[in-house]
PDB file of all heavy atoms in Angstrom:
ATOM      1  N   PHE A   1     -15.624  -4.603   5.092  1.00 88.00           N
ATOM      2  CA  PHE A   1     -15.598  -3.172   4.779  1.00 88.00           C
ATOM      3  C   PHE A   1     -15.527  -2.342   6.055  1.00 88.00           C
ATOM      4  O   PHE A   1     -14.736  -1.390   6.160  1.00 88.00           O
ATOM      5  CB  PHE A   1     -16.847  -2.803   3.965  1.00 88.00           C
ATOM      6  CG  PHE A   1     -16.936  -1.350   3.614  1.00 88.00           C
ATOM      7  CD1 PHE A   1     -16.166  -0.827   2.589  1.00 88.00           C
ATOM      8  CD2 PHE A   1     -17.782  -0.495   4.312  1.00 88.00           C
ATOM      9  CE1 PHE A   1     -16.238   0.520   2.261  1.00 88.00           C
ATOM     10  CE2 PHE A   1     -17.865   0.842   3.995  1.00 88.00           C
ATOM     11  CZ  PHE A   1     -17.093   1.354   2.966  1.00 88.00           C
ATOM     12  N   ILE A   2     -16.344  -2.693   7.052  1.00 90.00           N
ATOM     13  CA  ILE A   2     -16.377  -1.919   8.296  1.00 90.00           C
ATOM     14  C   ILE A   2     -15.027  -1.980   9.015  1.00 90.00           C
ATOM     15  O   ILE A   2     -14.507  -0.960   9.487  1.00 90.00           O
ATOM     16  CB  ILE A   2     -17.502  -2.448   9.209  1.00 90.00           C
ATOM     17  CG1 ILE A   2     -18.868  -2.097   8.607  1.00 90.00           C
ATOM     18  CG2 ILE A   2     -17.379  -1.860  10.623  1.00 90.00           C
ATOM     19  CD1 ILE A   2     -20.044  -2.685   9.365  1.00 90.00           C
ATOM     20  N   LEU A   3     -14.449  -3.180   9.087  1.00 90.00           N
ATOM     21  CA  LEU A   3     -13.177  -3.328   9.796  1.00 90.00           C
ATOM     22  C   LEU A   3     -12.050  -2.588   9.078  1.00 90.00           C
ATOM     23  O   LEU A   3     -11.170  -1.996   9.720  1.00 90.00           O
ATOM     24  CB  LEU A   3     -12.828  -4.807   9.947  1.00 90.00           C
ATOM     25  CG  LEU A   3     -13.694  -5.591  10.943  1.00 90.00           C
ATOM     26  CD1 LEU A   3     -13.361  -7.078  10.876  1.00 90.00           C
ATOM     27  CD2 LEU A   3     -13.500  -5.064  12.354  1.00 90.00           C
ATOM     28  N   MET A   4     -12.065  -2.604   7.750  1.00 90.00           N
ATOM     29  CA  MET A   4     -11.022  -1.901   7.000  1.00 90.00           C
ATOM     30  C   MET A   4     -11.117  -0.394   7.221  1.00 90.00           C
ATOM     31  O   MET A   4     -10.127   0.272   7.512  1.00 90.00           O
ATOM     32  CB  MET A   4     -11.124  -2.225   5.505  1.00 90.00           C
ATOM     33  CG  MET A   4     -10.424  -3.501   5.105  1.00 90.00           C
ATOM     34  SD  MET A   4     -10.249  -3.676   3.310  1.00 90.00           S
ATOM     35  CE  MET A   4     -11.931  -3.975   2.815  1.00 90.00           C
ATOM     36  N   VAL A   5     -12.318   0.160   7.092  1.00 91.00           N
ATOM     37  CA  VAL A   5     -12.484   1.607   7.190  1.00 91.00           C
ATOM     38  C   VAL A   5     -12.216   2.101   8.618  1.00 91.00           C
ATOM     39  O   VAL A   5     -11.375   2.983   8.847  1.00 91.00           O
ATOM     40  CB  VAL A   5     -13.899   2.021   6.735  1.00 91.00           C
ATOM     41  CG1 VAL A   5     -14.135   3.512   7.025  1.00 91.00           C
ATOM     42  CG2 VAL A   5     -14.074   1.737   5.255  1.00 91.00           C
ATOM     43  N   PHE A   6     -12.913   1.489   9.579  1.00 92.00           N
ATOM     44  CA  PHE A   6     -12.815   1.999  10.945  1.00 92.00           C
ATOM     45  C   PHE A   6     -11.524   1.569  11.639  1.00 92.00           C
ATOM     46  O   PHE A   6     -11.100   2.215  12.604  1.00 92.00           O
ATOM     47  CB  PHE A   6     -14.038   1.557  11.747  1.00 92.00           C
ATOM     48  CG  PHE A   6     -15.289   2.295  11.365  1.00 92.00           C
ATOM     49  CD1 PHE A   6     -16.169   1.755  10.436  1.00 92.00           C
ATOM     50  CD2 PHE A   6     -15.567   3.536  11.903  1.00 92.00           C
ATOM     51  CE1 PHE A   6     -17.316   2.436  10.072  1.00 92.00           C
ATOM     52  CE2 PHE A   6     -16.711   4.232  11.544  1.00 92.00           C
ATOM     53  CZ  PHE A   6     -17.589   3.681  10.623  1.00 92.00           C
ATOM     54  N   GLY A   7     -10.904   0.486  11.140  1.00 91.00           N
ATOM     55  CA  GLY A   7      -9.608   0.112  11.691  1.00 91.00           C
ATOM     56  C   GLY A   7      -8.577   1.209  11.497  1.00 91.00           C
ATOM     57  O   GLY A   7      -7.811   1.530  12.414  1.00 91.00           O
ATOM     58  N   PHE A   8      -8.589   1.835  10.303  1.00 91.00           N
ATOM     59  CA  PHE A   8      -7.637   2.907  10.029  1.00 91.00           C
ATOM     60  C   PHE A   8      -8.061   4.221  10.687  1.00 91.00           C
ATOM     61  O   PHE A   8      -7.229   5.020  11.108  1.00 91.00           O
ATOM     62  CB  PHE A   8      -7.481   3.107   8.524  1.00 91.00           C
ATOM     63  CG  PHE A   8      -6.757   1.988   7.837  1.00 91.00           C
ATOM     64  CD1 PHE A   8      -7.393   1.203   6.891  1.00 91.00           C
ATOM     65  CD2 PHE A   8      -5.444   1.682   8.158  1.00 91.00           C
ATOM     66  CE1 PHE A   8      -6.732   0.165   6.255  1.00 91.00           C
ATOM     67  CE2 PHE A   8      -4.774   0.642   7.534  1.00 91.00           C
ATOM     68  CZ  PHE A   8      -5.420  -0.121   6.581  1.00 91.00           C
ATOM     69  N   VAL A   9      -9.391   4.447  10.764  1.00 89.00           N
ATOM     70  CA  VAL A   9      -9.878   5.715  11.317  1.00 89.00           C
ATOM     71  C   VAL A   9      -9.717   5.759  12.834  1.00 89.00           C
ATOM     72  O   VAL A   9      -9.275   6.765  13.406  1.00 89.00           O
ATOM     73  CB  VAL A   9     -11.355   5.927  10.930  1.00 89.00           C
ATOM     74  CG1 VAL A   9     -11.929   7.149  11.651  1.00 89.00           C
ATOM     75  CG2 VAL A   9     -11.485   6.099   9.422  1.00 89.00           C
ATOM     76  N   LEU A  10     -10.054   4.638  13.497  1.00 88.00           N
ATOM     77  CA  LEU A  10     -10.083   4.624  14.954  1.00 88.00           C
ATOM     78  C   LEU A  10      -8.871   3.950  15.591  1.00 88.00           C
ATOM     79  O   LEU A  10      -8.647   4.101  16.791  1.00 88.00           O
ATOM     80  CB  LEU A  10     -11.360   3.917  15.444  1.00 88.00           C
ATOM     81  CG  LEU A  10     -12.692   4.503  14.967  1.00 88.00           C
ATOM     82  CD1 LEU A  10     -13.854   3.663  15.492  1.00 88.00           C
ATOM     83  CD2 LEU A  10     -12.833   5.958  15.423  1.00 88.00           C
ATOM     84  N   GLY A  11      -8.096   3.215  14.792  1.00 83.00           N
ATOM     85  CA  GLY A  11      -6.940   2.508  15.346  1.00 83.00           C
ATOM     86  C   GLY A  11      -5.792   3.450  15.665  1.00 83.00           C
ATOM     87  O   GLY A  11      -5.701   4.569  15.135  1.00 83.00           O
ATOM     88  N   GLY A  12      -4.893   2.975  16.518  1.00 81.00           N
ATOM     89  CA  GLY A  12      -3.762   3.824  16.922  1.00 81.00           C
ATOM     90  C   GLY A  12      -2.698   3.953  15.862  1.00 81.00           C
ATOM     91  O   GLY A  12      -2.117   5.019  15.670  1.00 81.00           O
ATOM     92  N   GLY A  13      -2.403   2.882  15.150  1.00 79.00           N
ATOM     93  CA  GLY A  13      -1.444   2.930  14.056  1.00 79.00           C
ATOM     94  C   GLY A  13       0.007   2.967  14.464  1.00 79.00           C
ATOM     95  O   GLY A  13       0.867   3.234  13.634  1.00 79.00           O
ATOM     96  N   GLY A  14       0.311   2.688  15.716  1.00 81.00           N
ATOM     97  CA  GLY A  14       1.706   2.758  16.137  1.00 81.00           C
ATOM     98  C   GLY A  14       2.395   1.412  16.214  1.00 81.00           C
ATOM     99  O   GLY A  14       3.541   1.330  16.672  1.00 81.00           O
ATOM    100  N   ASN A  15       1.753   0.342  15.764  1.00 89.00           N
ATOM    101  CA  ASN A  15       2.335  -0.998  15.863  1.00 89.00           C
ATOM    102  C   ASN A  15       3.207  -1.309  14.655  1.00 89.00           C
ATOM    103  O   ASN A  15       2.938  -0.845  13.545  1.00 89.00           O
ATOM    104  CB  ASN A  15       1.220  -2.041  15.966  1.00 89.00           C
ATOM    105  CG  ASN A  15       0.274  -1.769  17.124  1.00 89.00           C
ATOM    106  OD1 ASN A  15       0.713  -1.383  18.198  1.00 89.00           O
ATOM    107  ND2 ASN A  15      -1.017  -1.953  16.897  1.00 89.00           N
ATOM    108  N   PRO A  16       4.265  -2.127  14.815  1.00 89.00           N
ATOM    109  CA  PRO A  16       5.092  -2.511  13.670  1.00 89.00           C
ATOM    110  C   PRO A  16       4.297  -3.318  12.663  1.00 89.00           C
ATOM    111  O   PRO A  16       3.412  -4.095  13.034  1.00 89.00           O
ATOM    112  CB  PRO A  16       6.216  -3.338  14.305  1.00 89.00           C
ATOM    113  CG  PRO A  16       5.694  -3.770  15.631  1.00 89.00           C
ATOM    114  CD  PRO A  16       4.756  -2.710  16.076  1.00 89.00           C
ATOM    115  N   VAL A  17       4.648  -3.153  11.383  1.00 89.00           N
ATOM    116  CA  VAL A  17       3.894  -3.793  10.307  1.00 89.00           C
ATOM    117  C   VAL A  17       4.772  -4.700   9.447  1.00 89.00           C
ATOM    118  O   VAL A  17       4.348  -5.798   9.065  1.00 89.00           O
ATOM    119  CB  VAL A  17       3.228  -2.724   9.412  1.00 89.00           C
ATOM    120  CG1 VAL A  17       2.597  -3.359   8.185  1.00 89.00           C
ATOM    121  CG2 VAL A  17       2.183  -1.951  10.201  1.00 89.00           C
ATOM    122  N   VAL A  18       5.995  -4.276   9.131  1.00 87.00           N
ATOM    123  CA  VAL A  18       6.832  -5.030   8.193  1.00 87.00           C
ATOM    124  C   VAL A  18       8.077  -5.632   8.832  1.00 87.00           C
ATOM    125  O   VAL A  18       8.805  -6.393   8.189  1.00 87.00           O
ATOM    126  CB  VAL A  18       7.244  -4.152   6.997  1.00 87.00           C
ATOM    127  CG1 VAL A  18       6.019  -3.754   6.195  1.00 87.00           C
ATOM    128  CG2 VAL A  18       8.007  -2.917   7.460  1.00 87.00           C
ATOM    129  N   SER A  19       8.346  -5.310  10.069  1.00 86.00           N
ATOM    130  CA  SER A  19       9.524  -5.864  10.722  1.00 86.00           C
ATOM    131  C   SER A  19       9.229  -6.067  12.206  1.00 86.00           C
ATOM    132  O   SER A  19       8.398  -5.356  12.775  1.00 86.00           O
ATOM    133  CB  SER A  19      10.728  -4.939  10.539  1.00 86.00           C
ATOM    134  OG  SER A  19      10.496  -3.698  11.207  1.00 86.00           O
ATOM    135  N   PRO A  20       9.886  -7.055  12.830  1.00 90.00           N
ATOM    136  CA  PRO A  20      10.808  -8.009  12.214  1.00 90.00           C
ATOM    137  C   PRO A  20      10.060  -9.079  11.404  1.00 90.00           C
ATOM    138  O   PRO A  20       8.853  -9.222  11.536  1.00 90.00           O
ATOM    139  CB  PRO A  20      11.507  -8.622  13.416  1.00 90.00           C
ATOM    140  CG  PRO A  20      10.485  -8.555  14.506  1.00 90.00           C
ATOM    141  CD  PRO A  20       9.725  -7.282  14.284  1.00 90.00           C
ATOM    142  N   LEU A  21      10.824  -9.818  10.576  1.00 91.00           N
ATOM    143  CA  LEU A  21      10.216 -10.885   9.781  1.00 91.00           C
ATOM    144  C   LEU A  21       9.675 -11.979  10.683  1.00 91.00           C
ATOM    145  O   LEU A  21       8.527 -12.423  10.536  1.00 91.00           O
ATOM    146  CB  LEU A  21      11.239 -11.479   8.804  1.00 91.00           C
ATOM    147  CG  LEU A  21      11.398 -10.795   7.450  1.00 91.00           C
ATOM    148  CD1 LEU A  21      12.429 -11.535   6.622  1.00 91.00           C
ATOM    149  CD2 LEU A  21      10.073 -10.726   6.699  1.00 91.00           C
ATOM    150  N   VAL A  22      10.493 -12.482  11.591  1.00 92.00           N
ATOM    151  CA  VAL A  22      10.079 -13.537  12.519  1.00 92.00           C
ATOM    152  C   VAL A  22      10.550 -13.168  13.925  1.00 92.00           C
ATOM    153  O   VAL A  22      11.486 -12.387  14.095  1.00 92.00           O
ATOM    154  CB  VAL A  22      10.638 -14.925  12.118  1.00 92.00           C
ATOM    155  CG1 VAL A  22      10.064 -15.380  10.796  1.00 92.00           C
ATOM    156  CG2 VAL A  22      12.157 -14.903  12.057  1.00 92.00           C
ATOM    157  N   GLY A  23       9.881 -13.763  14.917  1.00 91.00           N
ATOM    158  CA  GLY A  23      10.231 -13.502  16.291  1.00 91.00           C
ATOM    159  C   GLY A  23      11.277 -14.478  16.805  1.00 91.00           C
ATOM    160  O   GLY A  23      11.722 -15.387  16.079  1.00 91.00           O
ATOM    161  N   PRO A  24      11.696 -14.345  18.054  1.00 88.00           N
ATOM    162  CA  PRO A  24      12.685 -15.251  18.636  1.00 88.00           C
ATOM    163  C   PRO A  24      12.198 -16.700  18.604  1.00 88.00           C
ATOM    164  O   PRO A  24      11.048 -16.994  18.911  1.00 88.00           O
ATOM    165  CB  PRO A  24      12.808 -14.745  20.086  1.00 88.00           C
ATOM    166  CG  PRO A  24      12.305 -13.337  20.054  1.00 88.00           C
ATOM    167  CD  PRO A  24      11.259 -13.294  18.996  1.00 88.00           C
ATOM    168  N   GLY A  25      13.094 -17.600  18.195  1.00 83.00           N
ATOM    169  CA  GLY A  25      12.774 -19.016  18.181  1.00 83.00           C
ATOM    170  C   GLY A  25      12.099 -19.499  16.920  1.00 83.00           C
ATOM    171  O   GLY A  25      11.895 -20.714  16.743  1.00 83.00           O
TER     172      GLY A  25
END
């Protein structure tokens, strides 16, 4: 619960989430 709530409140939120599917290799 703590990680879910504060992750969204305090996190930056600028990282990719749905792409790309896989990385090189």
